[in-house]
Amino acid sequence: MRKAQKQEVLEFINSLHQAHQEIKEALGQKDSASAKSMFAECQDFAVSLGENIERMEGAGHITVSHLEEYCEALFHCYENVEAGQFHENKIYKTLRKQLLKVENSVRNDILERKEIVFFPYKASMWDSLESVYLAAKEDPECDVYCVPIPYYELNPDRSFGVMHYEGMEYPENIEVIDWQTYFFEERKPDVIYIHNPYDEWNLVTSVHPRYYSANLKKYTDILVYIPYYSTSGGMSEAQSLCPAYLYADYIIIQAPGYRKYFDPRIPDEKFLPFGSPKFDKTIKVCQNPPIPSAEWERKMVGRKVYFYNTSITGMLEDTESFLRKIDYVFQCFQERDDACLLWRPHPLLESTFDSMRSEYKMIFQALKKKFIENDLGIYDSTSDIEATVGLCDVYIGDSGSSVTSLFGIAGKPIFILNNKIHKRPDEDSWRGEIINLIPSYRREDENVLMITQGNKLYASESALCSFKYLCDLSRYAYGSYYMTALRMNGKIYVCPYNAQDILVVGDGGIEKKIELEKRVTQGGAFCSACKCGEYLVLLPYQYPAIVVYDTVSGGIRYFEEHLDVAVKRNERGEMLIGGQRPYKNYLFIASPTDNYMYKLNVETGHSDVIELPIKSRCGCAALIEYADEFWLLPYRGSVIVCWKPETGEVVEYSNIPKGFQCKNPENGNLCEEFAFATPAFYEEHVFLPPMWGNMFLKLNRNTGEIQRWEVPFEEHGGKAYPYSATAAFTWIGPDETGENYHLFYFPERKLYCVNLRTDQFTEMEIKFSVDELKEHEPGFCEDSEWLRYCCRENAFNSLTDLLDGNITGDKFDKSRQLEAYQEIVANYDGRCGEKLHEYVCGGHR
């Protein structure tokens, strides 16, 4: 019997107790007629109750026999009243005694059953619920239902489009109930499980509004949200707060460490670190792989099978590169007899093209048609991803996908593709990945420092730019933990990007780690660092404070006041920080959206906000100090501002040559953002290389004239390169003559010494030992906190290298991978579903 049904029976019995009291009162008032009428009503009520109990619990149930005894007592009491031989207290006690037997039997002899319902929407995501469902089905005290629910594609205006129902696509062992026949509003199940947290927040699809979490919670005691995804260590910021979290009683997380990725306002007691049902199924399937279909087996036999995953995240980040990458992958597998390509796009990828990248949908469809019609491999559109994982040998694809975690826990190699690579690397391709001069290129006492090749520090002992390996900076090979190295007081201070600590490096490697307060859980804590006297200043991105470290005393201070002037979000929700520059004992940060300036005295800690009398109000993307003047390069638009902090005087330069325009390098669209990169100064001129702009310019500070600056290489303006700029002057500054600056040209990864007096460009060769780079290439490794173990595609480890078995660096080590993944998975034994069901139901019986 359901808990709610049992409660109703007990309420009915309580009504009988009340009737006994009324009978007693009627007899006390000598109203025999009313008493006899109530005897009859109690008799009918008891008979009906007995019939219902027999229907639910079976014939011959002991509670029914107690009800029969109660009915006999009612009959005898009726006869006594009819004969006029009665005492109201004795009748009351007799009936009460018999009814208490019934009540105790209901409480103790009728087992309380729970009704549990699962509301999945996409069949391909059923794996996130399945092991819990199967465990519940084995529980004799539970009635369990799988009720797939409909969902809608959303039109670009977010109205409901086509409705989908995938109830016919579930595994044969899952008993599916039609959503149109299961009325949870009436049944009031004890437990509801869901795996869609978005409700009305989703931009691509929406479940039927009837199944939004706020409505479901009205009709159940326990609402449980289990993520439809699993991860390899991190979690998307977009998942930190979703509507379902507000109404769910429990939120299931992979491991205790995942709590930090959720909004801190969510009560801790909601989180249950049980792992993921997806892992349960993966472990089970990989221990006993399924038999492939005849068509699949024909393509797989005698070949290593590569699971190619194309994710929504990868598509949205850079759609053109994503599509070019797909075609390149097809080329790599063509004509190979030793490899089978199994392509499995994300189930919602085409819907996302429709709603968010419709202009590219036809290109994707053409690639899909090419793959299928030319029989280039296996196109997998099945709903059971774990079965496919069990049949595959290697993962290739995007990093931002839960599929990596399935291969991780299965102990199968993970090879992360770089969507910017569209051809086989040549002998110089490593330069585009290794030579990372902005922002990590610094000359400190004739020592040039560069953080590159993941988290590795390289140094050149002179300005000749011949780099040698100095040390590793992290136990993880990648993850962009650090970005800038500065020399101060005879030490090298390595400053964080994703990390939240400062490293002190000496001749023998890392000497000390200076821990900062852990205030962010996602990446991108800091965006830059600078020296201000004896102080090392860390400039925030996601981190909620400016950090000032005293290199003499070792003190750390955090400054939060007025920070909202310098760090903002744009209309797309992206974080922006304005241009920054130290000056004397002050740190200045310009607003990225308006004409305000943040000013911090790093010695006293006092901060101010200054309003600059700027008409253009375009925000500031870069702030450069030269000869006691500040130059503000616009975040939006092309007006360049010169500000003199001592006098407050402002000059605006807007006479940009005709034909100047900006293009977003990610999508090639015309825009008004990031026109200029770091400039250089000589006499009365300011030399302006383009960031997203299409011209090199020269500004005359005296006359305000801006003209085109002729350079000996192409103005690529906006073409998509791995770095979102065309060229930039480095932070090294001019030499002693004031004429020579270093200019880095991104498309060719070349550094030039530019004499601004003569306009002479001299290439400065940036040298690395390729043998040394290969020696320190990690290969298969512990990648980062967010991707525990993999190998990354690069110039030394191409996709073809993987197929040929020519990996540079460490070879794949299954035991090493499994050990890395055990750190982020609770219930690594594949019993998440079993233990979760036991907790949710066992703890509430």
Side-chain angles (χ1 to χ4, degrees), residues 54-68:
E54 276 197 335
R55 179 173 52 81
M56 289 185 282
E57 300 296 316
H61 194 275
I62 188 171
T63 303
V64 177
S65 66
H66 288 310
L67 278 167
E68 290 170 348

Side-chain angles (χ1 to χ4, degrees), residues 251-486:
I251 300 168
I252 311 308
I253 53 177
Q254 246 179 249
Y258 279 74
R259 168 63 182 98
K260 66 183 180 183
Y261 295 118
F262 289 83
D263 193 292
R265 293 170 293 181
I266 303 171
D268 289 341
E269 56 268 22
K270 283 194 175 192
F271 294 95
L272 300 181
F274 277 94
S276 171
K278 293 171 73 71
F279 294 148
D280 293 351
K281 186 169 185 181
T282 300
I283 293 168
K284 180 180 178 181
V285 168
C286 290
Q287 289 172 346
N288 186 23
I291 298 173
S293 66
E295 180 185 359
W296 282 26
E297 187 172 22
R298 173 180 62 83
K299 298 177 181 180
M300 290 177 167
V301 66
R303 297 178 175 183
K304 185 175 284 190
V305 182
Y306 293 79
F307 182 112
Y308 179 32
N309 175 43
T310 46
S311 71
I312 290 176
T313 301
M315 185 274 282
L316 292 177
E317 282 179 352
D318 185 345
T319 308
E320 290 188 8
S321 292
F322 172 85
L323 294 169
R324 291 180 65 193
K325 185 67 179 186
I326 293 174
D327 197 42
Y328 170 66
V329 171
F330 293 171
Q331 295 172 28
C332 290
F333 278 85
Q334 280 182 309
E335 309 302 328
R336 292 196 72 111
D337 296 327
D338 58 345
C340 170
L341 179 63
L342 184 147
W343 182 25
R344 184 185 176 91
H346 188 283
L348 294 175
L349 185 60
E350 293 201 45
S351 296
T352 308
F353 268 111
D354 286 332
S355 60
M356 301 180 73
R357 295 290 188 274
S358 57
E359 67 271 27
Y360 293 102
K361 177 71 177 290
M362 291 183 64
I363 301 174
F364 176 79
Q365 289 178 323
L367 288 166
K368 177 179 174 181
K369 181 179 180 181
K370 172 183 175 180
F371 183 83
I372 295 172
E373 292 186 355
N374 290 281
D375 201 23
L376 300 181
I378 297 169
Y379 186 84
D380 180 20
S381 59
T382 63
S383 59
D384 191 346
I385 189 173
E386 285 80 9
T388 302
V389 172
L391 293 170
C392 292
D393 302 295
V394 181
Y395 172 92
I396 62 172
D398 299 324
S399 61
S401 168
S402 63
V403 186
T404 58
S405 63
L406 303 184
F407 277 84
I409 203 167
K412 298 185 179 187
I414 300 167
F415 188 79
I416 302 302
L417 296 179
N418 181 344
N419 284 344
K420 301 285 189 182
I421 297 177
H422 307 132
K423 63 179 182 179
R424 187 167 183 173
D426 57 36
E427 62 180 5
D428 286 330
S429 292
W430 61 268
R431 299 178 65 86
E433 300 164 354
I434 299 299
I435 298 175
N436 176 22
L437 292 188
I438 308 291
S440 66
Y441 176 76
R442 303 273 179 166
R443 184 174 69 196
E444 304 290 339
D445 300 327
E446 293 302 314
N447 182 270
V448 182
L449 303 171
M450 188 189 305
I451 298 171
T452 188
Q453 201 178 24
N455 297 303
K456 294 177 174 59
L457 181 61
Y458 282 76
S460 175
E461 295 302 325
S462 71
L464 295 177
C465 296
S466 180
F467 289 91
K468 294 187 179 299
Y469 170 83
L470 191 59
C471 67
D472 274 29
L473 301 174
S474 170
R475 77 182 184 96
Y476 294 113
Y478 293 97
S480 300
Y481 285 90
Y482 304 94
M483 66 185 301
T484 304
L486 301 173

Side-chain angles (χ1 to χ4, degrees), residues 733-749:
D735 62 5
E736 59 277 3
T737 70
E739 300 175 355
N740 297 301
Y741 282 78
H742 289 179
L743 178 73
F744 188 64
Y745 182 57
F746 287 95
E748 297 177 0
R749 298 300 189 275

Side-chain angles (χ1 to χ4, degrees), residues 455-459 469-474 487 490-494 502-513:
N455 297 303
K456 294 177 174 59
L457 181 61
Y458 282 76
Y469 170 83
L470 191 59
C471 67
D472 274 29
L473 301 174
S474 170
R487 188 180 291 278
K491 298 290 186 182
I492 296 173
Y493 290 87
V494 178
I502 302 167
L503 302 180
V504 182
V505 176
D507 294 337
I510 297 173
E511 296 181 351
K512 183 180 180 181
K513 178 184 285 190

Side-chain angles (χ1 to χ4, degrees), residues 189-224:
D190 301 282
V191 184
I192 294 177
Y193 286 94
I194 59 173
H195 64 184
N196 184 315
Y198 303 116
D199 294 348
E200 69 274 18
W201 284 17
N202 203 328
L203 300 178
V204 178
T205 61
S206 173
V207 299
H208 192 294
R210 179 185 170 205
Y211 299 95
Y212 286 172
S213 57
N215 190 50
L216 293 177
K217 182 54 190 165
K218 295 175 184 177
Y219 303 101
T220 186
D221 293 334
I222 303 174
L223 179 62
V224 184

Side-chain angles (χ1 to χ4, degrees), residues 79 92 160 185 270 404 433 500 706 762 824:
E79 287 186 325
Y92 176 78
F160 283 9
E185 298 91 343
K270 283 194 175 192
T404 58
E433 300 164 354
Q500 294 179 70
I706 303 175
T762 305
I824 57 164

Side-chain angles (χ1 to χ4, degrees), residues 113-138:
R113 299 181 63 79
K114 289 184 178 292
E115 180 162 322
I116 303 173
V117 61
F118 294 78
F119 286 136
Y121 78 115
K122 284 197 68 64
S124 61
M125 297 176 181
W126 167 244
D127 56 357
S128 62
L129 301 174
E130 184 176 72
S131 67
V132 189
Y133 170 86
L134 294 175
K137 288 288 282 188
E138 291 295 315

